[in-house]
Amino acid sequence: MDVQALAQSRPLQTAGRGDRVARTREAIVASALALAATGQVAPIVRDIAQMAGVSARTVFQHFADTAELYVAVLGRVLAALVGEAPDIAGAIPFEERINHLVAQCADRYEQLRPMWTFVETLQRRSAEAADMIGQIYSANTTNLSQAFASELAALPTESRERTLTALALAIAPESWVVLRSASACRSSSRATSSASS
């Protein structure tokens, strides 16, 4: 037996198996994400497995429990929320920067809205999920401080932090969800009152 040939063949087998493991794990996370996107707060493993084309047992071979799987899904969701910080600080007028920021957040949060209950529920149940969300909010605050550095610098020192916090809260995903719900309620009320007139 050629020991050197055997040693060389094992990494190839491992790489092939590793690719298959990665593809299976990806299919499981993508399936759970798709189910969360339909509004399911806690997608059932049976449904996730069926959509991924694997058994429920296979799901638990890749994830210790549903909490670990849901945290992996949350990581994917949150990665979509934070993009590259736009290099717009001072490059374009203030109003255009505001419009750019609002449009960027609206696009991201509108995609997130169907699964927001999933995100909120997981945040309450998992310290790891809450920490991930906290890191995203910190990154968003940093991006804001860079995008509006000149305006923030012009404020009195004691106002800078409050203003930055207010900006961060105004563009937080929760704010978008609440504003979107309020807008939908107002539209529904108008439609009802128009129909009754």
Side-chain angles (χ1 to χ4, degrees), residues 101-147:
L101 178 68
V102 169
Q104 185 181 48
C105 290
D107 289 344
R108 290 178 182 162
Y109 297 162
E110 191 60 24
Q111 293 171 5
L112 172 68
R113 195 174 52 82
M115 65 185 79
W116 185 248
T117 303
F118 168 83
V119 172
E120 284 185 317
T121 302
L122 186 58
Q123 179 180 1
R124 288 190 300 268
R125 292 182 181 170
S126 165
E128 184 179 358
D131 184 51
M132 289 170 71
I133 291 169
Q135 290 174 20
I136 294 298
Y137 288 167
S138 292
N140 280 339
T141 301
T142 300
N143 290 347
L144 281 170
S145 67
Q146 293 169 356

Side-chain angles (χ1 to χ4, degrees), residues 12-26 62:
L12 293 176
Q13 291 171 348
T14 304
R17 183 179 186 288
D19 290 346
R20 188 177 72 240
V21 167
R23 282 192 308 273
T24 301
R25 186 177 174 89
E26 172 57 30
H62 290 270

